[in-house]
Amino acid sequence: MTWLITGGAGYIGAHVARAMAGAGERVVVLDDISAGVPDRLPPKIPLVEGSAHDAALLKRVLAEHAVTGVVHLAALKQVGESVAQPLRYYRENVGGLAVLLEAVAGAGVTRFLFSSSAAVYGNPDVNMITEATPCAPLSPYGETKLTGEWLVRAAGRAHGIATVCLRYFNVAGAAEPELADTGVFNVIPMVFDRLTRDEAPRIFGDDYPTPDGTCIRDYIHVADLAEAHLAAARRLSAADASGDLTVNIGRGEGVSVRELITTIAEVTGDHRPPVVEARRPGDAPRAVASADRAAKELGWTARYGVREMVESAWQGWCLRHPEAARN
């Protein structure tokens, strides 16, 4: 197998590319570098700069590298931004996927792994979210991921492509400091950013129906997520691979926002109490994955805990913000 990884120079993509290459898989990365960082990739991994919207480029890359499977991670992913720019999100996340799948089908590639999201579920009133939980996304971003799953499965049925859709929960941490997330859109880097600016962390709502009143989420170390991709790719590599599979990728354990901030305080040494602000619209009280199917179908379970996620993320943050370590 030779795998094309779209978005492979991004935060998650680089972890996936490194994990797969390190396990002996042949990989090539396609990334437009709008959010990716070329230096995240070792020299042995070929990097093609370009877009999944470029049909001619896709045709050339698939042929020149004799690609036999695709891992599609390239996408826009900010929920709030998607509300303000829905047309852009549908154009990039769904339109780009359609162009890619057309190229894949035309090249006779028969393995496709799609990066989806727990955002497809919306705000379900369940203790554990299984893959059978009804999908009701609350944002255009979540809608594009659900639409993407539909498109991937439909193309798979029509063109004999074996497919896997991985629904990520809350991704955090870094395998190496230089691979850490450079954005400030998720809760852990948002807290780091507040502390670096000498401000208290924020909690959006402490009156939810949870033990400490704050939202509960399922956090997954990005290195574990990368291993899940490797496990899914190897399942697709089987000679008899066919059909479609949809899998949650999480730890199956909930951590409240207040518990997470306590862990961050222990790691950073900054114990200032958080300030509580009003709830944000659309935040679910609890969103925790059932990870049973991942264990059964992929032979995969998460290895890292929240403390390791925070510690590795903090090392990456301090690498780019040395002033934070001195505070």
Side-chain angles (χ1 to χ4, degrees), residues 10-211:
Y11 165 52
I12 294 174
H15 280 88
V16 172
R18 282 176 170 237
M20 292 182 66
E25 300 290 336
R26 292 192 300 271
V27 302
V28 57
V29 165
L30 174 69
D31 200 301
D32 66 5
I33 313 301
S34 60
V37 179
D39 288 346
R40 284 176 168 148
L41 297 171
K44 67 178 181 179
I45 296 180
L47 170 62
V48 178
E49 293 192 23
S51 169
H53 289 259
D54 188 335
L57 175 62
L58 289 171
K59 182 177 180 180
R60 176 173 64 80
V61 170
L62 292 171
E64 288 183 358
H65 293 272
V67 170
T68 50
V70 173
V71 180
H72 182 49
L73 297 112
L76 299 176
K77 62 179 185 178
Q78 302 307 322
V79 170
E81 184 180 67
S82 77
V83 174
Q85 303 178 44
L87 296 176
R88 179 184 176 218
Y89 268 68
Y90 271 87
R91 180 177 66 251
E92 293 295 325
N93 291 2
V94 180
L97 174 59
V99 174
L100 175 60
L101 285 168
E102 189 169 23
V104 163
V109 175
T110 57
R111 307 289 189 269
F112 197 93
L113 175 52
F114 179 61
S115 164
S116 189
S117 167
V120 301
Y121 294 115
N123 186 1
D125 184 18
V126 296
N127 186 51
M128 301 291 285
I129 298 174
T130 74
E131 291 82 359
T133 299
C135 293
L138 298 174
S139 67
Y141 166 69
E143 292 167 1
T144 64
K145 285 299 183 181
L146 184 56
T147 304
E149 288 188 12
W150 294 340
L151 183 54
V152 165
R153 295 187 196 107
R157 290 189 298 270
H159 299 284
I161 304 169
T163 66
V164 174
C165 297
L166 300 183
R167 292 174 174 170
Y168 313 164
F169 278 66
N170 296 268
V171 184
E176 302 290 343
E178 62 271 18
L179 298 181
D181 193 359
T182 57
V184 188
F185 304 108
N186 299 317
V187 61
I188 293 175
M190 286 173 66
V191 173
F192 291 165
D193 182 57
R194 296 277 294 184
L195 298 178
T196 302
R197 291 188 284 115
D198 199 28
E199 297 175 358
R202 291 185 294 180
I203 291 176
F204 295 101
D206 65 350
D207 57 349
Y208 287 93
T210 62

